[in-house]
Amino acid sequence: MAKKIKTAFFCQKCGIQSPKWLGKCPSCSEWNTFVEEHTAKKETGKDGYISSTVNHPKLISEIDYSNEKRIITNDKELNRVLGGGIVPGSLILLGGDPGIGKSTLLLQFSLSSKSKKILYVSGEESEKQIKMRAERINKDSNHCFILTETSTNNIFKEIKKLQPDILVIDSIQTIHTASLESTPGSVSQIRECTSELIRYAKETGTAVFLIGHINKDGAIAGPKVLEHMVDTVLQFEGDRNYIYRILRTVKNRFGSASELGVYEMSQDGLREVSNPSEILISERDTPTSGVGIAATIEGARPLLVEIQSLVSTAVYGNPQRSATGFDTKRMNMLLAVLEKRCGFKLGAKDVFLNITGGIKINDTAIDLAVVCSILSSDQDISLDTLVCFAGEIGLSGEIRAVNRIENRIKEAEKLGYKKIIISKYNKLSGAKFNIEIQKFGKIEEVFRILF
Ligand code: TYD
Ligand code: MG
């Protein structure tokens, strides 16, 4: 009798397993995501990474962590998002859209190493392609080794010989372990390969970077399955039409999960941007209407961003509202507040909003700058270029206090702004600032002095 092949169905979105096919995933509620995969493990004995030590229970006071030294890389932004360098033995997952620059970021980091031995394993590109990329980045290194391989078996064989300090896998979706029959990129393969890598990382104290793809239609398992398994999750994002890229911490077992690094994609690799506010604000000789500057905080970092609006009479029946980098629903809410509380007739007008530099802002403290820029465009009166704003707007038109106001004020002061408008409910500790601080409780009061 033929041996029955063991299979199970896996949700490609969240990774849940089911013995039967299901139309709707009971865990993540997505439709049509179940795919049949082989689950049988081959009895080959020596595949993957074999654990060689056995741990015994210890008192917490007996555990020694004093020799845990972080590896400080040459990339300051990477150090920052990792919470002050790489922790040996940790697994770091780097996710992001295709073509955003994940391979470039990690190859550049690998090539910049001066003392640590790094193995860069690529399952996606040939040696020649990697060399071409390295030529563009223009770094030569005696510490970075390249391996083009997709089988974890062979990867671990090479690792044994080379004994690297840091391992980079590009990408987790392309490697496979021989102990599973399913195809590379399937949920069970990704899970198994990652757990082999985790075992290897924890035992040898090697830091491992994994690149993970995000696919819109979820054809290959996205890194969501992995997020629980790894120590740190980084997200590389940005608009491909712009040159700026943001490296964000999504999860970090060894540091703050609200850190942010900014890079600029240039012809010869990624360049660190140490002062993002300066580049996010366009230089202008003459003031232009519709431009407002907001003092925001991204992650742990104060940032000044420029908000541009265009308000014009709607040509077609339905006025258009569109926002880039800002939540459109929130913009509609702010427009309703302007209409109802301040009597501006914006209902029949097209409103377009854009945050320059292609970055996305989730901070509600930019509300005040958003409404001021919209009204500035509507009234065609430009705002003073040396004024910036930080305040959240409530439904009754009140300006609400925002968190970490002093960091915002300091950043505005550092960049040479003359005035910052904030909520009167924000308490200041009494520190002296070299910038005029104006406090208001209602948006009408702000408009009275601006327009
Ligand atoms: P890549 O790292 O291949 O993206 P991912 O690994 O996330 O899929 O990034 C490729 C893009 O970056 C590609 O559009 C070309 C661009 N690029 C530069 O602009 N400058 C450079 O120096 C390099 C190496 C790439
Ligand atoms: Mg790549």
Side-chain angles (χ1 to χ4, degrees):
M1 203 176 85
K3 204 175 151 199
K4 198 163 177 284
I5 300 166
K6 273 195 194 149
T7 61
F9 292 84
F10 290 88
C11 170
Q12 301 293 303
K13 190 91 189 227
C14 69
I16 195 173
Q17 187 180 351
S18 157
K20 278 188 311 187
W21 186 84
L22 298 173
K24 184 183 179 188
C25 175
S27 169
C28 66
S29 305
E30 282 292 319
W31 288 91
N32 210 8
T33 54
F34 276 86
V35 170
E36 188 171 19
E37 290 179 13
H38 295 281
T39 53
K41 287 206 177 187
K42 282 190 202 154
E43 309 259 332
T44 42
K46 274 201 187 132
D47 285 320
Y49 188 77
I50 309 296
S51 188
S52 57
T53 55
V54 182
N55 282 336
H56 300 289
K58 267 187 205 154
L59 277 177
I60 192 139
S61 54
E62 289 168 6
I63 299 172
D64 184 24
Y65 75 105
S66 54
N67 57 2
E68 193 227 275
K69 272 231 164 67
R70 288 188 184 236
I71 304 166
I72 310 289
T73 72
N74 289 327
D75 185 335
K76 287 198 197 73
E77 301 294 300
L78 190 62
N79 288 339
R80 180 207 301 272
V81 294
L82 291 174
I86 303 167
V87 176
S90 66
L91 237 81
I92 301 152
L93 175 67
L94 174 68
D97 287 335
I100 203 78
K102 302 179 293 296
S103 308
T104 308
L105 177 73
L106 288 186
L107 184 65
Q108 188 172 330
F109 149 74
S110 307
L111 292 174
S112 71
S113 169
K114 295 274 182 296
S115 56
K116 299 285 176 200
K117 209 192 277 177
I118 302 187
L119 177 62
Y120 183 98
V121 179
S122 180
E124 302 204 328
E125 286 160 56
S126 66
E127 285 167 7
K128 280 200 191 104
Q129 279 174 308
I130 298 173
K131 177 72 184 171
M132 263 158 60
R133 192 192 292 262
E135 298 269 278
R136 271 183 89 173
I137 298 170
N138 210 2
K139 282 202 174 93
D140 237 343
S141 166
N142 303 328
H143 290 89
C144 175
F145 295 82
I146 307 287
L147 172 67
T148 49
E149 181 57 70
T150 54
S151 154
T152 52
N153 230 347
N154 298 344
I155 294 174
F156 283 122
K157 257 183 223 150
E158 295 302 324
I159 285 174
K160 263 206 189 104
K161 282 185 239 159
L162 191 68
Q163 306 268 341
D165 299 300
I166 296 170
L167 173 69
V168 178
I169 303 277
D170 183 6
S171 65
I172 186 72
Q173 273 87 5
T174 52
I175 62 167
H176 63 92
T177 165
S179 64
L180 275 186
E181 281 170 359
S182 51
T183 51
S186 63
V187 173
S188 40
Q189 274 288 357
I190 291 180
R191 226 190 250 157
E192 188 62 27
C193 291
T194 311
S195 56
E196 279 178 17
L197 287 164
I198 289 179
R199 250 178 288 152
Y200 157 70
K202 300 293 165 204
E203 253 178 48
T204 57
T206 315
V208 179
F209 280 92
L210 301 175
I211 291 181
H213 290 176
I214 301 176
N215 206 334
K216 272 209 186 87
D217 51 32
I220 45 169
K224 271 281 171 231
V225 193
L226 304 173
E227 286 185 18
H228 302 287
M229 304 170 78
V230 300
D231 298 304
T232 304
V233 181
L234 304 179
Q235 177 92 20
F236 206 36
E237 53 186 44
D239 195 320
R240 251 193 293 170
N241 301 324
Y242 288 94
I243 52 171
Y244 298 113
R245 301 281 184 273
I246 289 176
L247 185 62
R248 211 185 274 279
T249 325
V250 180
K251 158 184 172 179
N252 195 355
R253 287 190 182 144
F254 310 110
S256 150
S258 58
E259 283 293 351
L260 183 104
V262 183
Y263 293 90
E264 183 186 333
M265 182 63 97
S266 67
Q267 274 310 306
D268 43 6
L270 288 157
R271 218 172 287 149
E272 297 158 35
V273 176
S274 50
N275 196 349
S277 300
E278 272 170 14
I279 47 154
L280 290 175
I281 294 169
S282 7
E283 303 228 337
R284 277 202 186 77
D285 297 330
T286 49
T288 319
S289 69
V291 174
I293 309 291
T296 170
I297 295 220
E298 267 297 300
R301 222 169 171 184
L303 204 66
L304 261 71
V305 293
E306 178 178 313
I307 292 157
Q308 299 180 339
S309 308
L310 183 68
V311 179
S312 65
T313 314
V315 184
Y316 304 105
N318 270 351
Q320 292 187 61
R321 266 81 205 274
S322 121
T324 325
F326 188 70
D327 184 12
T328 313
K329 280 196 192 124
R330 188 144 190 107
M331 179 177 82
N332 285 335
M333 184 209 97
L334 293 174
L335 289 172
V337 172
L338 286 178
E339 183 115 22
K340 179 89 181 169
R341 305 284 169 200
C342 312
F344 290 101
K345 295 277 166 277
L346 296 167
K349 302 218 169 136
D350 288 341
V351 180
F352 303 98
L353 192 84
N354 181 27
I355 295 184
T356 51
I359 64 167
K360 283 196 195 74
I361 306 280
N362 273 328
D363 185 8
T364 50
I366 70 169
D367 286 356
L368 188 55
V370 167
V371 295
C372 289
S373 107
I374 290 173
L375 284 188
S376 157
S377 173
D378 185 44
Q379 308 282 314
D380 207 12
I381 301 173
S382 52
L383 302 173
D384 188 343
T385 48
L386 293 176
V387 176
C388 60
F389 306 87
E392 183 184 331
I393 291 176
L395 288 182
S396 60
E398 83 275 20
I399 303 173
R400 307 177 58 181
V402 296
N403 60 358
R404 313 197 15 224
I405 188 73
E406 300 198 345
N407 294 17
R408 298 172 200 261
I409 298 175
K410 252 183 231 146
E411 180 73 10
E413 182 186 4
K414 199 169 88 193
L415 290 175
Y417 282 82
K418 293 270 174 296
K419 185 156 61 171
I420 181 164
I421 297 181
I422 64 169
S423 158
K424 73 172 180 191
Y425 305 106
N426 255 125
K427 302 254 181 309
L428 297 177
S429 68
K432 277 260 173 288
F433 292 108
N434 212 352
I435 177 172
E436 185 189 344
I437 301 168
Q438 271 190 333
K439 294 181 168 188
F440 294 99
K442 290 246 162 226
I443 42 176
E444 299 93 297
E445 298 163 17
V446 178
F447 299 153
R448 225 167 283 140
I449 67 145
L450 290 179
F451 305 112

